[in-house]
Amino acid sequence: MIHIIGVTNENNVVTNISLEELFQNQNQYLWYWIDFDQPTEKEIFYLTKPLNFHPLSIEDCLHNLQRPKIDYFDDYTFFVTHSLDSKTFKKEELNLFLGSNFIVSFHHHFSTEVQLVKEKLEKEKEAINWTQYTVLYQLLDQLVDHYFPIVYKIEDFLAEIDENSQNKTMEVLLDDLFATRHHLLSIRHTVIPMRDLLYQLINTNKLAAVWNKREYYSDIYDHLLKLAELIESNREITTDIRDSYLSYNSHHSNRIMQILTIITTIFMPLSFLAGLYGMNFLYMPELHLRYGYFILLGVMLFIVLAMFLWFKQKGWFK
């Protein structure tokens, strides 16, 4: 579906314009915004004609999940940006074409960020303070702002894993931890290229309107720096939690082996005595003692107590 918002020479905001009407009365508009929202194949063809965008930028639109970047063409600047799904943490691409009197957005999925900026512009009766560069800034700002709840959500989940208030098993905790680490890696692959894109944008001299308002774009860049630090910090936390769990698991296994070793060691002399007097030789004097059985039990009990006290003195039961 194609949505078009035009700002007339009198700074009035006009909506519900068709593409044909726009190009027939193009002189009536200071600038306009065309949004390709989950377009059909027929609507995608409009990128070629009448918009006449370069085949390479159109190809980037069709091949989803390109790396965030800026490409400069003669008549426009092409942006590839990424949004993040708050539930699945998957990347979704948002492409932007920025010209001298227009901005065109293109996305294969519903974009919350585009919808918010569109509603904000449509509420303006007179768009005196709005230009296509304002739309660009608003879109980038919304994209980055929507990264924060996702990162904070992962932080809260890591805190739950660390506390383990639900008493989950070690296997379940490690599965959750590795899944979280995978999500952080996926988010990092979005935030870092977006950070590089903003750095390139605020240091370019090819977009004068951006250069004059670079403090606003620098603010977005600062947010991306903070996000990158949060992601790296959370990745380090996942490593620490993983190492702690593995160390605890190793310690627990060693403790079990120690207890089994103590039990085995105590039963070794008992097994020896039981095996010795369980042999079927005819001439074994101790077998004919009246109280030989009880004497042997007493000796076994003494050995058990002596070895127990010795192990306790050595600190094996601490």
Side-chain angles (χ1 to χ4, degrees), residues 150-166:
I150 296 173
V151 175
Y152 290 149
K153 182 179 179 180
I154 290 180
E155 272 192 339
D156 295 339
F157 189 62
L158 282 176
E160 292 179 5
I161 293 177
D162 192 26
E163 294 173 1
N164 193 20
S165 57
Q166 298 180 357

Side-chain angles (χ1 to χ4, degrees), residues 89-248:
F89 307 123
K90 290 184 178 179
K91 297 181 287 187
E92 295 175 353
E93 188 172 313
L94 172 62
N95 303 297
L96 302 171
F97 301 82
L98 181 67
S100 59
N101 66 334
F102 67 87
I103 184 169
V104 175
S105 53
F106 183 97
H107 45 101
H108 291 284
H109 303 83
F110 174 77
S111 175
T112 304
E113 296 82 4
V114 171
Q115 186 63 30
L116 288 173
V117 178
K118 197 185 301 179
E119 291 174 358
K120 187 182 295 186
L121 176 57
E122 288 175 348
K123 289 179 181 178
E124 299 284 342
K125 294 181 180 179
E126 293 185 356
I128 299 175
N129 298 320
W130 282 76
T131 66
Q132 65 273 28
Y133 295 96
T134 309
V135 174
L136 172 67
Y137 166 74
Q138 291 286 344
L139 288 173
L140 293 175
D141 189 48
Q142 289 290 339
L143 286 173
V144 175
D145 284 348
H146 278 80
Y147 294 162
F148 279 98
I150 296 173
V151 175
Y152 290 149
K153 182 179 179 180
I154 290 180
E155 272 192 339
D156 295 339
F157 189 62
L158 282 176
E160 292 179 5
I161 293 177
D162 192 26
E163 294 173 1
N164 193 20
S165 57
Q166 298 180 357
N167 294 321
K168 295 181 180 179
T169 63
M170 186 75 67
E171 290 76 11
V172 174
L173 287 174
L174 287 177
D175 287 342
D176 291 343
L177 189 66
F178 285 122
T180 304
R181 188 174 176 84
H182 175 73
H183 292 324
L184 284 171
L185 182 62
S186 177
I187 296 172
R188 186 178 184 274
H189 287 164
T190 294
V191 171
I192 299 301
M194 285 290 290
R195 181 194 65 185
D196 297 340
L197 183 149
L198 261 297
Y199 180 81
Q200 183 181 353
L201 186 60
I202 61 180
N203 287 282
T204 185
N205 55 5
K206 295 183 178 181
L207 296 172
V210 172
W211 178 256
N212 294 332
K213 297 288 185 180
R214 61 186 180 277
E215 62 273 11
Y216 291 96
Y217 296 92
S218 295
D219 182 63
I220 301 176
Y221 178 70
D222 291 339
H223 290 169
L224 286 166
L225 287 177
K226 181 180 179 181
L227 282 165
E229 292 174 357
L230 285 172
I231 292 170
E232 292 302 324
S233 175
N234 286 328
R235 279 173 58 81
E236 291 177 3
I237 291 173
T238 60
T239 302
D240 292 341
I241 294 175
R242 180 197 62 190
D243 293 343
S244 297
Y245 278 135
L246 293 177
S247 298
Y248 174 78

